[in-house]
Amino acid sequence: MNRIQHEQQRRNQQTRGCWELYAEHRRQVTDLLVGHCPEGARPLGGDVPTSRLCVLGAGNCNDLDLPQLLTRFGEIHLVDLDGDALSAGVGAQHLAADLRVGLHPGIDVTGLSGRLSNWSCDRPPPPAEIEAMLAVAAGESPLPLEGPFDTVASVCLLSQLLEPIKLALGETHSCYLPLIQAVRARHLRQVVNLCRPGGHLVLVTDFVSSDTCPELATVADAQLSALAEQLVLSQNFFTGLNPFLLRQMFASDPWLTRRVMDARLSRPWRWHFPARFYAVCAVTAIRRQLDSGD
């Protein structure tokens, strides 16, 4: 187990018993996923749902109401690097034996954690090694999952994928931002590639915490959107996670615009984590029926 995997496992262990603390965050995420179950796949009356949901970064499943999701999705596929967290999360919701819920443990979504775990700010890698990493990040990276899926969600995973870059290079390194951008684009391509034509994409991301914005702990819900806009304007957000830029990428990145349409940004909400608050929002989009320009 490399140090990135170990750190992820440690964090999952810390939050395993935080079901009640996640209540509002879980409601927001679950409502988003239920609302983006394609109409044609939703059950009518007593019909059994046939749609397939894939959740990347499911972890302990504290942010997923799995029984409610199973009223709309016939299959739920949960993906995470930490297999123990997946098993514990599904077990806590009494679904360990439910064949409709598939667990996919040990999947390194970026495929880069092994390399990044060998880097540190004290011992920066040689330029050639960084260039090789950038080349890998720019390439295709299909995940070992039996897609496509009707709805694909990345749930607060992007921040976990980008944080190791900060730990490996430091924010002042000349290649820090290019690598952040490359890993971010790689992940968006992965989400799109897993989704069937006409299916829905849901990218949930935490973009700032009360560590740098103490007001998050006390601001009224009605004022949260205005605060989020102020934070973005003042550059107070996690590097690579500007929610307005994430939505814009679906309209400006040539690869994404050929494959995705109707990208929208949700209203932000608050996620009460054990030691802090996070501001969270979601970018939703639809996979085009036919990739334009291909």
Side-chain angles (χ1 to χ4, degrees), residues 41 72-73 136 228:
R72 293 298 185 97
F73 294 95
V136 171

Side-chain angles (χ1 to χ4, degrees), residues 10-107:
R10 184 189 70 81
R11 292 185 182 187
N12 284 332
Q13 289 171 347
Q14 284 185 330
T15 58
R16 193 154 293 166
C18 297
W19 177 259
E20 294 301 328
L21 203 59
Y22 278 54
E24 176 59 18
H25 176 61
R26 179 170 57 254
R27 184 187 69 79
Q28 294 278 0
V29 172
T30 301
D31 286 353
L32 268 172
L33 297 180
V34 167
H36 286 84
C37 175
E39 290 289 344
R42 295 183 183 182
L44 298 174
D47 294 341
V48 176
T50 60
S51 55
R52 307 176 75 220
L53 167 66
C54 177
V55 180
L56 303 175
N60 292 313
C61 304
N62 282 337
D63 38 17
L64 302 169
D65 186 332
L66 295 175
Q68 183 179 346
L69 291 172
L70 283 170
T71 66
R72 293 298 185 97
F73 294 95
E75 296 178 22
I76 299 177
H77 294 263
L78 304 173
V79 182
D80 202 89
L81 193 60
D82 185 353
D84 291 340
L86 289 178
S87 297
V90 171
Q93 298 191 48
H94 310 291
L95 292 169
D98 197 312
L99 298 180
R100 297 171 296 173
V101 181
L103 306 187
H104 304 273
I107 294 182

Side-chain angles (χ1 to χ4, degrees), residues 258-260 287-294:
R258 290 197 300 270
R259 295 165 174 82
V260 172
R287 177 71 192 260
R288 292 184 183 275
Q289 291 287 353
L290 295 174
D291 296 346
S292 62
D294 283 2

Side-chain angles (χ1 to χ4, degrees), residues 112 116 119 130-131 133-138 162 165 169-186 189 239-240 249:
L112 305 175
L116 284 172
W119 298 358
I130 298 176
E131 288 299 323
M133 177 79 85
L134 286 167
V136 171
L162 300 184
I165 302 172
L169 288 180
E171 294 179 280
T172 61
H173 195 287
S174 61
C175 290
Y176 171 64
L177 188 56
L179 192 52
I180 286 281
Q181 294 168 336
V183 170
R184 179 179 64 192
R186 179 184 181 91
R189 293 196 302 270
T239 302
M249 285 181 67

Side-chain angles (χ1 to χ4, degrees), residues 32-33 35-41 51-54 73 148-153 191-202 250 259-263 283-291:
L32 268 172
L33 297 180
H36 286 84
C37 175
E39 290 289 344
S51 55
R52 307 176 75 220
L53 167 66
C54 177
F73 294 95
F149 300 93
D150 298 281
T151 301
V152 180
V191 172
V192 172
N193 280 331
L194 286 171
C195 190
R196 69 161 176 83
H200 290 257
L201 318 170
V202 180
F250 286 102
R259 295 165 174 82
V260 172
M261 63 181 187
D262 198 24
V283 179
T284 62
I286 298 174
R287 177 71 192 260
R288 292 184 183 275
Q289 291 287 353
L290 295 174
D291 296 346

